[in-house]
Amino acid sequence: KETLMVKPVSRQSVVRSASGSKMRIFIKERIWIGDKSFKVEINLADRSNLSKKMLIGKNIIKLGYLIDAKKSFLVSYRQ
């Protein structure tokens, strides 16, 4: 089932990826990692044909998290 969400655009920017450079729209959204929530900027891209539906960028590492891309649904804090 699809759900329509309406959010204001926070910015537009050219983003480089494996498929080339494209103009992307960014929105601000609250995400949860474990019991902590963060207001983050998300770029909107069609990931329907990809195994990972959302990527968490390297900026989250600055908040004290370590990302293991081989695992899913885990929460651990950097020692």
Side-chain angles (χ1 to χ4, degrees), residues 8-52:
V9 172
S10 62
R11 70 182 172 100
Q12 293 183 24
S13 183
V14 175
V15 174
R16 289 180 290 152
S17 69
S19 60
S21 296
K22 294 182 182 175
M23 180 65 73
R24 295 254 179 92
I25 294 172
F26 290 76
I27 62 169
K28 294 201 181 216
E29 186 60 77
R30 183 164 301 281
I31 65 166
W32 290 84
I33 299 177
D35 60 351
K36 299 191 183 308
S37 71
F38 304 93
K39 189 79 169 190
V40 297
E41 194 171 54
I42 298 171
N43 81 64
L44 303 179
D46 180 6
R47 299 190 59 81
S48 59
N49 293 325
L50 301 172
S51 63
K52 304 293 186 220

